[in-house]
Amino acid sequence: MVTTAAGSLATADEWTDSDDDLEAGPLTDGFHLVIDALKLNDVETIYNVPGIPITDLGRYMQAEGLRVLSFRHEQHAGYAAAIAGFLTKKPGICMTVSAPGFLNGLTALAHATTNCFPMILISGSSEREVVDLQQGDYEEMDQLAIAKPLCKAAYRVLHAEDIGIGIARAIRAAVSGRPGGVYLDLPAALLGQTMDAAAGANSLVKVIDAAPAQLPAPEAVARALGLLKNAKNPLIILGKGAAYAQADDAIRDLVEKSGIPYLPMSMAKGLLPDTHPLSAGPARSLALKGSDVVVMIGARLNWLLSHGKGKTWGDKAKKFIQIDIEPREMDSNVEIAAPLVGDIGSCVQALLNGMGEDWAQPPTEWTEAIFTKKQTNVERMAPKLQNNNVPMDYHGALGVLRTIINERPDAILVNEGANTLDFARSVIDMHKPRKRLDVGTWGVMGVGMGQAIGAAVETGLPVLAIEGDSAFGFCGMEVETICRYDLPICVVVFNNNGIYKGTDINPTGSADAATTVFVKDARYDKMMEAFGGVGVHATTPDDLKRAVNEAMHSGKPTLINAVIDEEAGTESGRIGNLNPQSIIAKK
Ligand code: ADP
Ligand code: TZD
Ligand code: MG
């Protein structure tokens, strides 16, 4: 539906003073064409920070029934949009002002691209004529040029009649093939342009089949099955691409029918429940070292998997089967013996069809070795999770949160930090797909509040955000946003007075604090109270349990300052080996 300028918030004759134009028929304008194009393509929510030149666009969007959520900083609006893309398979939309607002949003757009999440960053921009001659416009910047290398595609619309096509291209680019971030530049002058309303309506484009199925070639399927059939120690690795694909039933069938143990990457946890008998999660090291044929499903052989080689993978010769929609992913780090290029749903289904009725399960020596190792590791962990130490250590606090997630498998878990991330990932079992959201491929700090807000808004489910005190500091002001929209989010800040540990000392003895420590005994709970939410100071596992249960039950915005022993963490969490000194020592 096109809203005519005559019947909308701003009248067309503010931009056209000729009576002839009005007589020619109702007009529409750039603002309303953008809104109509988004609505035609089922966009419902915009993650936004207002200002020139998009303040009115946000107002009109809200007036026209889109949900427009305003943040305190564009980066977090962007992280919310990115995670909306991951959760829904539709592009999350972030909207910002020009230059500085655009740059703030760009970090999230690059993050979305890196993680293969579909997202569109729409930024207003200043007058092209002034920008291109570098004459110093208000917030002047050649945004299109700057966005290009940092995203999957970047477009600018200059004429009102091209808005429909511009938005259609942005949507298709974000979700088709390997999903990613798309930049859409909307100059201020475009939004004010008017055109005939009927012609405007005709110019809109509804994107048909935005992410078409991509079937693997039959020979590629046969090649993969041939390899798998002869495997003695097969392993499946599920990545966040598999979670994104929403092919949950087919993936479960593949694992169960083949009887092959699987390892979930961090955000693929819960795709099958972590308690599944074929989960090799707690026996990760043995599974990687001992495997001979590895089936990668929507996971890349990047740093998170030690590039598919070296100590992590052991000496045993391996062959890789890789399912990915991006052909260039194949052979990126090691040889891929059987590339299966296509969408995960189609590829997994093709494997299932080809396996037939009498598929032989892997040798029991392999599955039993993994099972035994898993039992040992789980038993070793159990008592640590029940400790009542005060101040709490990571395991004592996480033991409590683990039980809470076991009891509430539908809740969404957001997690960032270093030790706070690594321990929570291994301690907390996930039970359903797409419930664990975290720092992703970059290991970026500051995604937490944006993800928590995006997840609560998109799903309506309660969210538990487990945040290192440093990680939380990158996005803490968004607690106001959480309170303003009254979202069911419980933030637990693991407060160990710093980054990794709170115990570093400035070696010069000067009054300046060491580089990794914060104000001691800070009360993050007061930040939530400042905006009308619930703040709790928790020093024991019992305090923590009571407060989180209460928050998950009430759905009230809550922040729990969980006091963690400042000695408990380790440098860089589990990736200390990536610090320069360790890299040099290895060489
Ligand atoms: P993880 O960090 O969990 O290992 P990655 O982000 O490294 O996961 O890998 C995700 C992979 O999934 C990417 O290579 C991406 O191209 C792929 N992918 C995303 N969606 C699909 C899909 N629908 N079908 C096939 N591959 C997909
Ligand atoms: N800046 C950004 C955007 N991302 C980063 N990953 C970092 C800086 C470096 N960094 C890490 O890799 S983890 C971390 C930083 C600053 C914070 C770890 O401290 P924490 O967690 O308080 O969040 P723990 O539990 O104290 O380890
Ligand atoms: Mg910390």
Side-chain angles (χ1 to χ4, degrees), residues 394 417-420 443-445 468-471 474 496 498-501:
Y394 287 93
N419 294 281
T420 305
V444 59
M445 296 299 114
D469 51 343
S470 167
F474 287 76
N496 65 344
I499 298 175
Y500 316 134
K501 282 171 174 279

Side-chain angles (χ1 to χ4, degrees), residues 1 40 43 65 87 98 119-120 128 182 203 234 260 283 287 324 414-415 435 441 531:
M1 185 200 74
L40 181 67
V43 170
L87 290 168
S98 25
M119 165 182 171
I120 300 173
R128 286 257 38 91
V182 175
S203 72
I260 299 176
D324 206 290
V414 168
N415 187 202
K435 300 295 186 194
T441 303
F531 303 105

Side-chain angles (χ1 to χ4, degrees), residues 89 114-116 177-179 238-242 244-245 265-268 298-300 302 304-305 323-326 329 342-345 441:
K89 287 184 101 176
T114 300
N115 284 278
C116 315
R178 168 180 279 175
L238 300 173
K240 59 173 124 57
Y244 171 80
M265 300 300 288
S266 191
M267 282 176 63
R300 286 170 287 188
N302 56 15
L304 287 156
L305 283 166
I323 301 182
D324 206 290
I325 202 150
E326 173 56 64
E329 188 55 38
D343 73 274
I344 286 168
T441 303

Side-chain angles (χ1 to χ4, degrees), residues 19-198:
D19 286 346
D20 297 348
D21 282 356
L22 287 178
E23 280 162 19
L27 297 178
T28 186
D29 58 37
F31 290 108
H32 290 90
L33 287 167
V34 169
I35 296 166
D36 293 339
L38 291 171
K39 285 171 74 172
L40 181 67
N41 285 290
D42 305 322
V43 170
E44 290 166 2
T45 307
I46 310 286
Y47 299 95
N48 157 77
V49 174
I52 295 171
I54 51 105
T55 320
D56 280 344
L57 182 55
R59 290 191 181 116
Y60 297 154
M61 283 172 161
Q62 194 170 51
E64 299 282 334
L66 288 169
R67 187 161 193 210
V68 185
L69 296 152
S70 286
F71 284 65
R72 305 300 294 254
H73 188 292
E74 291 85 352
Q75 194 173 110
H76 311 300
Y79 288 140
I83 212 64
F86 170 73
L87 290 168
T88 64
K89 287 184 101 176
K90 296 199 302 193
I93 314 265
C94 174
M95 190 163 81
T96 80
V97 303
S98 25
F102 155 77
L103 287 173
N104 285 345
L106 196 55
T107 306
L109 190 71
H111 158 86
T113 309
T114 300
N115 284 278
C116 315
F117 300 159
M119 165 182 171
I120 300 173
L121 174 67
I122 298 179
S123 296
S125 58
S126 18
E127 299 318 311
R128 286 257 38 91
E129 295 79 354
V130 185
V131 173
D132 289 348
L133 273 172
Q134 299 181 26
Q135 293 174 313
D137 205 350
Y138 171 70
E139 298 195 344
E140 172 182 302
M141 178 175 277
D142 187 357
Q143 295 166 198
L144 186 71
I146 288 164
K148 258 183 197 156
L150 295 169
C151 60
K152 191 177 167 194
Y155 305 108
R156 175 159 54 223
V157 184
L158 289 176
H159 303 293
E161 61 266 32
D162 293 332
I163 286 173
I165 282 291
I167 286 179
R169 295 210 75 186
I171 292 172
R172 197 177 280 282
V175 296
S176 61
R178 168 180 279 175
V182 175
Y183 175 60
L184 185 64
D185 195 83
L186 301 183
L190 171 81
L191 297 171
Q193 281 177 27
T194 57
M195 68 181 286
D196 176 71

Side-chain angles (χ1 to χ4, degrees), residues 252-392:
R252 176 190 274 265
D253 287 353
L254 179 74
V255 169
E256 291 181 346
K257 186 165 173 185
S258 70
I260 299 176
Y262 71 93
L263 270 182
M265 300 300 288
S266 191
M267 282 176 63
K269 273 167 70 80
L271 194 42
L272 281 81
D274 281 334
T275 48
H276 194 283
L278 286 166
S279 163
R284 184 176 193 270
S285 176
L286 172 75
L288 292 176
K289 289 196 177 77
S291 56
D292 63 352
V293 174
V294 183
V295 189
M296 309 286 302
I297 307 184
R300 286 170 287 188
L301 284 166
N302 56 15
W303 71 278
L304 287 156
L305 283 166
S306 309
H307 305 280
K309 53 200 172 195
K311 251 183 23 204
T312 310
W313 290 85
D315 297 330
K316 198 178 181 108
K318 322 228 173 248
K319 298 252 183 238
F320 287 94
I321 298 168
Q322 183 159 23
I323 301 182
D324 206 290
I325 202 150
E326 173 56 64
R328 286 178 304 171
E329 188 55 38
M330 306 300 157
D331 307 326
S332 59
N333 286 270
V334 294
E335 179 187 288
I336 301 301
L340 264 182
V341 176
D343 73 274
I344 286 168
S346 302
C347 291
V348 170
Q349 197 53 54
L351 287 179
L352 275 167
N353 296 347
M355 283 165 70
E357 291 308 312
D358 52 351
W359 183 265
Q361 306 264 312
T364 49
E365 299 90 87
W366 172 235
T367 42
E368 271 168 20
I370 287 183
F371 184 74
T372 311
K373 186 77 193 170
K374 195 168 122 172
Q375 291 285 94
T376 316
N377 287 347
V378 168
E379 278 161 25
R380 193 179 304 149
M381 171 96 83
K384 290 194 201 164
L385 299 178
Q386 279 160 21
N387 86 64
N388 273 315
N389 295 342
V390 176
M392 292 183 275

Side-chain angles (χ1 to χ4, degrees), residues 472 476 479-480 482-483 491 523-538 556-561:
F472 175 72
V479 296
E480 189 275 334
I482 294 173
C483 290
V491 184
R523 292 289 302 274
Y524 293 97
D525 48 314
K526 304 269 186 204
M527 286 176 68
M528 192 58 113
E529 284 176 357
F531 303 105
V534 179
V536 181
H537 181 59
K556 285 194 195 134
T558 301
L559 191 151
I560 299 159
N561 183 54

